[in-house]
Structures are given as structure tokens and as C-alpha cells.
DNA sequence: TTCGCATCGATTGCATACGAGGGAGAAACT
DNA sequence: AGTTTCTCCCTCGTATGCAATCGATGCGAA
């Protein structure tokens, strides 16, 4: 063994361990609530216990693991209410980012980038109903939401925003995968895209309250999708982090 | 050496290391931006490198350290704008907690506890001008803000709220210490207490929007205090985490 | 039958040893 | 003299050994 390459989290062992444990959790190999033994994980991934330990601590901060008082970690359990709250929280933070962007103003360069991104989203949504480029939409959508953090002009807000979106089911693209086959889904996308445009417009116009309100409501689209997905167990499996949700 | 006691974070070595490094940073022993060597810290605290390592990783997540790309950590630097943003962010999250509490309603028991706490704050503020029980006020004030997280009824929101308040200068009592000697300070306290009552009333009346707005504005009292403290270098030293603020 | 205690095993937390990579300083070359 | 390169040392990342603790299980007593 031994291709330690440094770069803090850029490579090797600890990163491998983080990714490995994430997969172990999201693949459902380890049930929610189940204890996570350092040794078994170490043997399973073929990595020494030290990086495993670091990875576990990191994943606890990330929110998918929980520290057991007597030592060790277990897979965190989420309720449906928790998922709804996480979505609401993302909306609150994204809304704050949008408001700050509007209140403080953004540079012409960023304004141009924002407009360009909205146009790209427009073009994707305007595509054919069946053969829509969903992957492309998801990528642009993720870019849009990342950009909100940038535009806020606040490291602090951006950091917390990224933190909250680490929870797998609270990301802006979390429920897109599940709905590729649903017809009603398209209406949702079109509505969402109108909100994207409204957000961009509000930021340009320096309308802080509007930017915040629309961005919050935009996040709540995910809550509607959540309710929809919960009715169909087959769809649930397509949403990345939903294995952690219990009742 | 060797009184390892387990209890995860309840005692021993790792906790010692966390507290030790925190003190090292907040006492100004290590300047902002300065690199933090595992070995020197290890020798300075008389603790092995392994718990130091865990503590450093933890303090990075906490926000007072920063990972260096090539490895290791440095003390994070904050600007005045960062502090203002952290305060604003706390206001946003506390406001969300208050809104959720109002929208979802709180149990009669919690309502009684909230009223009781407001009365205690009232009594403290109503005391004599000079001999005011500032420590008591700070304790009740901290309780009030903790209670907002409880009342939200959301683990997710409460968790993030606690995270944001970990930053030393964004806590609700951060600037109280500095102003014990300032006469104008009393007006600020009275105003803040009126806001406390308004928040409690709005939650009881199920007025979500009001609860959120007032709570946000309440947090901005800290921003005013920040500006005030920044004018007087002597006061700055009395605010815990202000050594991390550069320009 | 149930409760309490003691002993044992498994697992975590801590310490230390080792290998590798990066930065600083010196030397040599232009 | 400036620049480049080489080398050495220091620090971090990783692996493993050891000890202490927690939980479980089995036995005994009420």
C-alpha cells in the first residue's frame, strides 16, 4: 500500500473511505440506525482504520452518520418530516442568497453569466416532450443553484448553503431522476423554469424581497415532488438518499 | 499518560485537544492565517498527534480553522463583512425557527416555559441601571435563543442553528460582554427585550411572518453593536472571537 | 421466574512508527 | 547578480499495536 498523494482531501485513502462509506450507506448495504463498525468497514474497503475513522467523523458532520454516545457511529435515520424540513431550509438559505445578491447588486459579468444560464435552461425545457435532455437540465439546474451561492457575495452564506445541500435528498436535483417517466412532471419543470427566470429578473432589478420569496417557493417544488414520489415505492428507489427515510 | 475515559466527546484527549486548540486560537496565541502544526500543538498540549488530528478536523468543520490544500490547517481569517453576514445568517435561521414554531404551533407546556422565560428577562432588564445582573441576563438570553431552536419542532433547523452559533462572534450573547460600561447600551437591552416579547407573542398568536421578521431584526441588533464595538479597540478585546477579524 | 452481578469478548480510542511529498535553503549555472 | 535546480529536512498521511471501556451473556440468589 502507499500511494499517498497529499492534497488534503484531493485523493487517497481518506477520500476513498469517504466515498466508500457513502456508497455503503446509500446503496442500502447498511440499514438506517445500524451501527457502523470501524473494523468491518476497514476490512470491507481494504483500508486501514485510521482513514476510516477520519471518514466517519467527516460523514457525521455531513449529516448522514450519527455519533453514538458510547462511541462509534450509526447510520442516521430521517423521517419524511425531516426531508421536508431540509427542503424548506434549503429554500430559506437559497432565498437569503438571492436576496443578498439583489440587495448588494451583482457585477455585469455575473449578470451576463446568469442570463446565459437562464437561456440555456430555457432551451432545454423548450425541447421535445419525450426526448428531453434531462441530464442536461439537471446539470444546468445544479449550476443555477450553485450560482445563487456565488451571487450572494457572502462566503458565510455560501458555505452554509453548500452544507445543507450535502444532505442527499435536499439538493435541487434530488427528485429529478425519479420523474423522467411521469407526464405531469413536465408541467413542474416548466413552472420551475419560470421561477428561475423570475429569480434572475428579481436579482437584476434589485428586488430583494421578491427574489427571496420566489426562491423559497421554488424550493418547495421539491416538497411537492417528495409527496408525489412517496406514493410510488418504485420511484422512491430512484431518489438517491431516500433509503435513509424511515416512516 | 492514560486516563482514557471514552464517552465519545464527553471527556478525554480529543475533547481536551478541541478545547486546547480553541483556547490557543481565541487567546490570540496563534495569529489568523498562521499555519497550525500538528506536532507543535501536540507538544504544547502534551497530547498525542491522533487526538490533535481529530480536533483539528472538528474545528475545521466548526469554522475556525481552514484546510490548507497542501495539507494541514491554518487559523481562519474573518473580515468585518463576514461577521455581519454571520449575524444576518443567524437572524435568518432564528427567524425561520420562530416562523415554524408559529406556523406549527407549540405545546401548552412550552408556551408556559416561553412566557416564564420572558418574565425572567423582563425582571432582569427592569433592574437598576448600574447594578444590573448582566450575567443573569446573558444566561436568560442564551436560553431564549436556544428555545427558538427547540420550538421550531425541526431537528434539521435546530441543528443548523446550533452550527451557525458556534462561530464565536455570531452568538446572541457575543457582544453583551463588551458593553457593560456603556450607558447607551441599556436602551439597546430594553429594545431587545421588547423584541423578545414580540417574538413570543407572535409565536403564541401563530403569526408566522411577524415572528420571522421580528426575529431577524432582533439579530441585527448585534450588527449595530458590532459597529459600535469596532470603533473602540478597547472594547474589541472583550468580544470573544473578534481576534479572528482582520480588517 | 425475575432481578442483579460478575466476567468476558468485542470495539473503540490513543500512541507511536514509518513512508512520502512539499518547501526552504544553498549551490551552481547563466 | 539573478535564476534555476538540487537536496535535505520537516510535516503530514497511514498503518498497526495496545489498553481501557462498554455491552452482553450466564449464573446465582431472592
Amino acid at each position: 500500500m502507499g500511494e499517498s498523494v497529499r492534497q488534503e482531501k484531493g485523493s487517497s485513502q481518506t477520500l476513498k473511505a469517504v466515498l466508500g462509506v457513502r456508497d455503503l450507506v446509500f446503496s442500502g448495504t447498511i440499514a438506517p440506525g445500524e451501527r457502523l463498525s470501524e473494523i468491518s468497514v476497514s476490512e470491507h474497503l481494504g483500508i486501514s482504520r485510521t482513514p476510516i475513522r477520519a471518514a466517519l467523523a467527516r460523514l457525521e458532520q455531513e449529516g448522514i452518520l450519527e455519533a453514538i454516545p458510547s462511541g462509534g457511529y450509526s447510520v442516521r435515520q430521517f423521517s419524511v418530516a425531516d426531508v421536508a424540513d431540509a427542503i424548506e431550509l434549503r429554500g430559506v438559505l437559497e432565498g437569503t442568497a438571492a436576496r443578498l445578491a439583489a440587495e448588494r447588486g451583482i457585477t455585469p459579468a455575473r449578470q451576463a453569466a446568469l442570463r446565459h444560464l437562464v437561456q440555456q435552461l430555457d432551451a432545454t425545457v423548450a425541447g421535445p416532450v419525450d426526448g428531453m435532455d434531462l441530464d442536461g437540465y439537471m446539470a444546468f439546474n445544479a449550476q443555477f443553484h450553485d450560482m445563487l451561492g456565488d451571487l450572494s457575495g457572502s462566503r458565510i452564506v455560501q458555505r452554509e448553503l453548500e452544507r445543507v445541500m450535502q444532505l442527499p435528498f435536499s439538493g435541487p436535483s434530488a427528485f429529478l431522476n425519479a420523474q423522467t417517466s411521469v407526464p405531469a412532471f413536465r408541467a413542474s419543470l416548466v413552472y420551475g423554469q419560470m421561477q428561475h427566470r423570475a429569480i434572475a429578473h428579481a436579482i437584476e432589478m434589485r428586488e430583494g424581497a421578491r427574489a427571496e420569496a420566489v426562491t423559497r417557493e421554488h424550493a418547495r417544488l421539491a416538497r411537492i415532488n417528495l409527496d408525489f414520489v412517496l406514493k410510488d415505492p418504485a420511484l422512491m428507489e430512484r431518489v438517491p438518499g431516500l433509503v435513509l427515510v424511515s416512516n
Side-chain angles (χ1 to χ4, degrees), chain A residues 46-219:
Chain A
I47 301 175
S48 162
R49 281 177 50 220
T50 306
I52 300 287
R53 195 168 188 67
L56 262 42
R58 189 185 175 81
L59 291 173
E60 186 221 351
Q61 291 297 326
E62 214 164 278
I64 71 173
L65 297 184
E66 212 168 18
I68 298 176
S70 65
Y73 298 92
S74 63
V75 178
R76 193 167 169 201
Q77 293 200 60
F78 292 92
S79 66
V80 173
D82 286 333
V83 178
D85 287 348
I87 291 170
E88 177 75 15
L89 182 58
R90 169 170 70 87
V92 166
L93 290 177
E94 282 187 342
T96 299
R99 172 171 65 87
L100 292 182
E103 289 174 353
R104 300 175 179 181
I106 61 178
T107 66
R110 283 163 190 260
Q111 212 170 78
L114 181 59
R115 283 190 184 186
H116 181 60
L117 189 53
V118 170
Q119 282 176 3
Q120 284 176 307
L121 278 163
D122 267 335
T124 310
V125 171
V129 177
D130 291 339
M132 210 189 105
D133 181 12
L134 191 72
D135 288 337
Y137 181 81
M138 279 179 62
F140 288 139
N141 186 49
Q143 271 186 47
F144 184 88
H145 288 264
D146 282 343
M147 190 175 275
L148 287 180
D150 283 343
L151 296 178
S152 74
S154 166
R155 290 163 48 197
I156 305 285
V157 170
Q158 188 172 13
R159 183 186 161 105
E160 283 314 302
L161 190 50
E162 281 171 3
R163 261 195 66 78
V164 169
M165 298 210 304
Q166 275 179 346
L167 284 167
F169 40 71
S170 64
S173 304
F175 295 94
L176 291 185
N177 259 333
Q179 301 176 329
T180 175
S181 56
V182 179
F185 172 47
R186 182 170 180 79
S188 166
L189 275 194
V190 172
Y191 181 47
Q193 174 57 12
M194 284 187 65
Q195 289 175 324
H196 285 157
R197 282 158 62 180
I199 292 167
H201 187 252
I203 291 176
E204 277 192 32
M205 293 287 122
R206 314 285 297 257
E207 297 166 355
R210 178 183 169 212
E212 177 166 14
V214 175
T215 306
R216 275 197 191 182
E217 193 59 24
H218 179 58

